[in-house]
Amino acid sequence: DGEWARHDEL
Amino acid sequence: VLLLKIRATRSCRGISLKTQELYALVFICRYLDLFYSYISLYNTVMKVTYLATAFSIVRYMRFDKVVRQTYDKEQDTFRYIFLIAPCALLALVLNHRFSPTEVLWTFSIYLEAVAILPQLVLMQRTQNIDNLTANYVALLGAYRGFYILNWIYRFATEKHYRQWIVWISGVAQTALYADFFYYYALCWKANQRLQLPA
């Protein structure tokens, strides 16, 4: 999976 | 700011419970990742803070003996289903991956974009909008608005930063505030209490 899977925003 | 208003004045006059409950729902659906991923201490603390303050506000408005009497239920008429149903449908169709947590996360992004609508409608019906209420809505709009600057920065500096669902929703959310910001700025310049045209 790409970076999008990491939801680091609130 | 909103908790401060409610606690200091013992009143939630002019605040839409519908918007507050929608935000509580937004945070529940979005921060499920508290259970399975860790990003940073700041990130975790803010997620817990948003959940706690959202639920605290709803608790005051629904159950506090004094505060709940100041809630104007008759004016707060926006129907939940008009916002929740289209967002749920859109999240099922337009998402990055069809998994329960990812669909709920996407739903929360869409719902947040429109969750302010019951509050905006209520404010339009309110003759005397409290300064704290006006400031609260302005800060809420500015919060996501400032994200746009951050997204531009991250897009320029990070290789794999592609988040069109978040970007489009964030821009739409900010655009919903445009009318409000216009009158907020006018009244602020004239040093007048905020009044929205009917």
Side-chain angles (χ1 to χ4, degrees):
Chain A
D1 285 323
E3 282 290 307
W4 59 264
R6 189 179 148 89
H7 301 311
D8 58 357
E9 292 179 339
L10 293 163
Chain B
V1 169
L2 189 50
L3 264 181
L4 172 77
K5 171 196 154 66
I6 291 173
R7 289 175 60 118
T9 64
R10 306 293 287 156
S11 158
C12 63
R13 210 183 63 85
I15 300 298
S16 165
L17 179 61
K18 306 244 163 135
T19 284
Q20 296 309 314
E21 290 185 333
L22 288 172
Y23 273 116
L25 181 61
V26 163
F27 295 144
I28 293 171
C29 294
R30 185 167 317 162
Y31 300 152
L32 286 172
D33 66 347
L34 277 170
F35 293 110
Y36 60 84
S37 85
Y38 177 80
I39 290 154
S40 67
L41 179 64
Y42 169 81
N43 191 277
T44 301
V45 168
M46 291 312 286
K47 283 173 176 168
V48 173
T49 303
Y50 288 171
L51 281 165
T53 51
F55 275 89
S56 181
I57 289 164
V58 170
R59 191 191 64 81
Y60 269 110
M61 293 185 72
R62 273 188 174 271
F63 304 114
D64 186 274
K65 261 189 267 173
V66 181
V67 174
R68 77 174 191 198
Q69 287 171 26
T70 61
Y71 170 53
D72 195 355
K73 198 178 174 184
E74 278 69 45
Q75 294 285 323
D76 191 18
T77 53
F78 209 101
R79 301 274 294 275
Y80 290 109
I81 194 74
F82 290 152
L83 299 179
I84 291 176
C87 291
L89 208 67
L90 201 61
L92 285 169
V93 178
L94 286 181
N95 55 60
H96 287 304
R97 182 174 54 191
F98 197 73
S99 72
T101 51
E102 190 64 24
V103 169
L104 284 171
W105 177 86
T106 312
F107 167 68
S108 83
I109 296 289
Y110 296 147
L111 188 61
E112 187 199 327
V114 292
I116 196 63
L117 284 173
Q119 179 66 55
L120 290 177
V121 168
L122 180 61
M123 276 201 301
Q124 240 174 15
R125 295 181 178 157
T126 309
Q127 286 292 318
N128 291 307
I129 302 167
D130 293 331
N131 277 332
L132 269 173
T133 305
N135 291 341
Y136 161 70
V137 175
L139 288 169
L140 205 58
Y143 172 74
R144 195 55 67 191
F146 278 121
Y147 257 94
I148 294 170
L149 299 178
N150 181 253
W151 292 333
I152 294 168
Y153 174 76
R154 289 189 71 175
F155 185 81
T157 55
E158 290 177 31
K159 234 180 174 176
H160 299 288
Y161 192 64
R162 299 279 185 280
Q163 302 215 68
W164 55 267
I165 286 179
V166 172
W167 295 339
I168 293 170
S169 305
V171 170
Q173 181 172 347
T174 307
L176 280 186
Y177 285 80
D179 194 54
F180 167 82
F181 275 133
Y182 174 72
Y183 291 105
Y184 183 78
L186 275 188
C187 292
W188 186 74
K189 240 174 95 180
N191 221 347
Q192 279 174 353
R193 191 192 274 261
L194 177 67
Q195 270 200 317
L196 298 177

